[in-house]
Amino acid sequence: MVELRQEPQKLTAFLSGELDHHHAKEIREQIDFAVREQFPPVVVLDFGHVTFMDSSGIGLIMGRSRLTEEYGGRLEIHNPSQQIRKVLRISGADRLAVIRSRVTETPQQEGKEPEHEYAQ
Amino acid sequence: MNTLNELKCTFPARSENESFARTMVCAFAAQLDPTVEQLADLRTAVSEAVTNCIVHAYRNTGIGSITVTVRLLPDSVIYVRIADRGCGIADIEQAMTPLYSSAPAEERAGLGFTVMQSFTDQLTVTSRPERGTTVTMRKKLLNGTDPEAGC
């Protein structure tokens, strides 16, 4: 599942649940649609609520890394769990994006409705 | 092979079964009371193997089946065998090369075998073109409640 928050300079994709091959395609399509709408300087993939990820998630990161690179944007990975960090490390995907932990943001920030919201 | 316990399951190679397959193997392995991290490793490795069958094995034919066999061996070793009867792999060495994928357009990272290798103790791949592919993995699971397991 993915919920998107669009800000002037940043697109944040709050991912949740299990990120495998079965779920990756729809997540990818939703993120790419939003990216192509505004070409945000920063694209954040927030893994805070992802309970499982295999190399399908690496494919998702690699693809978004290429996409943001194409127009000069930057990709950030927020709040990966220990299991996700391990998959990132083994695949070398930890070199494709800035990784931040303990970033506390939610799709709906206080007193502010998200401009766009997608739910799977 | 002195099998202490065994589970065998056959299901169609549909992507919605990926979650079921890895959960099933971990539920079986849970009788060894492994650490959370080791169970996560096993879950990830199984997910990669099953996803390979779903993405590649029956690419040019109708959806076939995947058979997963899980065995509990002595010394807390878990054995997982994941077999399909699909197209097979012509060049296993190439398929196992990190970042190589025969399906890059679908954003496959080409890291499935790399993850399986990293997250288990032993990985074997046998394949025959047009006959299918069998992946076997072994992993020793340390008891999560054993203070010497380091958890």
Side-chain angles (χ1 to χ4, degrees):
Chain A
M1 285 209 327
V2 61
E3 208 167 312
L4 301 169
R5 189 176 72 214
Q6 288 172 307
E7 293 165 279
Q9 299 295 312
K10 188 165 87 172
L11 171 75
T12 307
F14 295 93
L15 309 170
S16 61
E18 300 198 318
L19 180 40
D20 61 6
H21 157 255
H22 180 65
H23 293 107
K25 186 167 177 258
E26 188 165 348
I27 292 171
R28 176 172 85 221
E29 286 170 357
Q30 292 191 27
I31 294 172
D32 287 6
F33 183 81
V35 168
R36 293 201 166 96
E37 259 184 347
Q38 60 167 149
F39 297 102
V42 179
V43 174
V44 176
L45 301 179
D46 192 312
F47 287 84
H49 290 96
V50 176
T51 53
F52 171 83
M53 186 187 93
D54 63 15
S55 73
S56 308
I58 301 301
L60 183 83
I61 292 167
M62 285 164 69
R64 305 302 68 67
S65 169
R66 266 195 300 273
L67 179 63
T68 48
E69 224 168 69
E70 270 171 27
Y71 66 85
R74 187 176 83 228
L75 184 70
E76 291 188 8
I77 294 171
H78 288 186
N79 303 319
S81 68
Q82 202 185 354
Q83 185 256 341
I84 293 172
R85 276 180 179 274
K86 206 166 169 182
V87 179
L88 291 174
R89 206 165 47 235
I90 283 162
S91 63
D94 51 352
R95 293 192 295 269
L96 289 177
V98 178
I99 299 177
R100 293 179 206 276
S101 289
R102 297 189 206 90
V103 184
T104 48
E105 284 183 289
T106 56
Q108 284 108 9
Q109 278 185 324
E110 244 175 273
K112 188 185 160 210
E113 286 297 309
E115 288 171 35
H116 294 271
E117 194 180 310
Y118 302 82
Q120 197 178 309
Chain B
M1 196 156 47
N2 188 6
T3 301
L4 304 173
N5 199 356
E6 186 182 69
L7 166 77
K8 197 168 181 176
C9 181
T10 299
F11 51 89
R14 304 181 65 90
S15 64
E16 51 266 55
N17 286 330
E18 288 159 10
S19 176
F20 158 73
R22 60 181 179 256
T23 303
M24 174 186 73
V25 173
C26 285
F28 184 84
Q31 64 192 288
L32 290 172
D33 194 19
T35 65
V36 171
E37 189 183 355
Q38 285 191 314
L39 211 51
D41 288 357
L42 184 67
R43 184 184 298 270
T44 314
V46 170
S47 190
E48 299 293 350
V50 171
T51 301
N52 272 353
C53 300
I54 290 164
V55 173
H56 301 288
Y58 302 106
R59 180 164 290 271
N60 302 313
T61 55
I63 289 174
S65 63
I66 302 172
T67 299
V68 175
T69 310
V70 197
R71 290 186 182 131
L72 177 58
L73 305 182
D75 299 321
S76 301
V77 172
I78 202 98
Y79 163 100
V80 189
R81 180 178 183 273
I82 293 153
D84 67 64
R85 294 174 171 273
C87 62
I89 305 169
D91 187 341
I92 294 178
E93 203 179 324
Q94 181 189 47
M96 293 181 78
T97 305
L99 300 173
Y100 170 81
S101 176
S102 59
E106 294 160 44
E107 289 203 343
R108 305 306 310 157
L111 291 164
F113 283 121
T114 306
V115 170
M116 286 181 240
Q117 235 156 5
S118 307
F119 284 8
T120 62
D121 300 329
Q122 198 189 84
L123 168 72
T124 314
V125 184
T126 53
S127 189
R128 276 178 66 189
E130 308 311 321
R131 298 295 292 273
T133 302
T134 298
V135 168
T136 61
M137 296 180 282
R138 281 166 200 257
K139 186 173 179 65
K140 186 175 169 69
L141 297 177
L142 295 171
N143 191 317
T145 53
D146 182 351
E148 286 179 27
C151 277

